[in-house]
Amino acid sequence: MNTKKFAICDKDSDYLTMLQAYLSKKNPAGFEVIVFDSVSQAVARSKEEPFEILLVGENIYDTNVINIAAQKVFILQEDGLAGITGYSIVSKYQSMERLIREILDAFALDENCVSAPRKGHTQTRLISFYSPDRHKGQSVAALTASQVLSDMGHRVLYISMQPFSGFEELLGVKYESDITDFLYFALKHSDKLMYKLEGIKRTIHGVDYLPPALDYSDLVDIEENEWKRCLDILLHSGDYFEIVVDLTESCKGFYDFLEKSDVVYFLSAKDTVSKAMYAQFEQLANVKELGAVLEKCITFDLPAGWENSVSNIGQLSISPLGAYMKGMIEQDGEQQKI
């Protein structure tokens, strides 16, 4: 199968070099990046193999652009548009992350753009964090582990199922869309799921994450079979080495996540009430014949003073909690080799 082409045509050699380097490093949705410094070059190359996406600098545009075979054409706007019409417009001078997010989201939403589902060569590892008593340390531990894995050179996707993640407050950001928008889109356009992911995801300390749901009831409304479909696509896309899930029962795919997890980090109980809740979870797992899930659970305690690590959630991996989680991950890795 031919590789999907992301073509860029512009006179600005410095900009071309910078954008190509960014795209090559991030490798969004598995595109092959090719660059041209003239429209005629792009026309000739597209006759050999059409492009999925084409970016054309405003400073290089001429009417021959119409002869370039591309599913979706964007004009990189600089000072004005000089009468250019009929194409999608994106601002050239913005962050690379925002530019690519805007482009891939528009590509995903365009009904005229088609794509074949992607299949990776190896299945992504699924790592779940869970505690029946909804201990707030679960989320911190899950995000810390994600950052540690990123520091180890792994591509990681973090997904929070928590009803109230607090991310907007903690990170000082505002999300225009969240995980539920991604899931509803993916159910209708599974062939474009990874483009939508690139368009909606954010990044913290090298970890990609889907903006958590604002209203947890939107997560509850997604059916179990729908969760399964989305999870299967993500696990077989080949885009990530690990997907780390901050899991709760608020999603109807709860048991499927547990069963498909390669490892479940299970935050241990301290008080009498929590221990009773954990005992009930184990009883339920046995009733549902999920004994295999219990076998792959790694029970752990958070180190004393872990709350102090939350002051900067963008640097969790270099905190004492990060050192602790790194030790756990390395220990798990050694056990896998046995």
Side-chain angles (χ1 to χ4, degrees), residues 188-224:
K188 293 182 179 179
H189 307 281
S190 60
D191 61 319
K192 292 185 181 180
L193 179 144
M194 300 312 296
Y195 306 122
K196 184 64 176 178
L197 174 61
E198 291 291 339
I200 195 175
K201 75 179 185 183
R202 300 296 182 94
T203 303
I204 179 172
H205 196 89
V207 176
D208 289 344
Y209 71 94
L210 288 168
L214 174 63
D215 185 349
Y216 73 91
S217 65
D218 291 336
L219 288 176
V220 176
D221 289 339
I222 298 172
E223 297 300 325
E224 181 178 0

Side-chain angles (χ1 to χ4, degrees), residues 18-19 30 66 71 79 95 101 105 111 130 164 169 187 199 211 216 248 270 277 280 287 291 293 296-297 307 319 338:
M18 183 170 58
L19 184 53
I66 197 172
Q71 286 194 40
D79 303 320
S95 71
R101 190 163 66 230
D105 196 45
E111 295 290 346
Y130 177 66
F164 300 97
E169 180 73 19
L187 293 171
Y216 73 91
T248 75
K270 295 291 187 181
M277 295 170 69
Q280 183 178 343
V287 168
V293 171
K296 56 189 175 186
C297 284
E307 294 92 345
S319 69
I338 298 175

Side-chain angles (χ1 to χ4, degrees), residues 277-296:
M277 295 170 69
Y278 280 60
Q280 183 178 343
F281 169 78
E282 292 182 1
Q283 180 184 2
L284 178 61
N286 287 319
V287 168
K288 288 188 167 291
E289 298 182 346
L290 296 176
V293 171
L294 297 177
E295 291 176 4
K296 56 189 175 186

Side-chain angles (χ1 to χ4, degrees), residues 151-169:
D151 287 349
M152 294 168 66
H154 298 189
R155 287 205 68 195
V156 183
L157 177 66
Y158 170 83
I159 299 176
S160 173
M161 301 297 190
Q162 294 294 334
F164 300 97
S165 70
F167 265 35
E168 289 189 333
E169 180 73 19

Side-chain angles (χ1 to χ4, degrees), residues 219-235:
L219 288 176
V220 176
D221 289 339
I222 298 172
E223 297 300 325
E224 181 178 0
N225 66 314
E226 295 173 333
W227 279 110
K228 287 182 178 180
R229 283 170 52 197
C230 289
L231 180 58
D232 284 341
I233 295 170
L234 285 171
L235 288 176

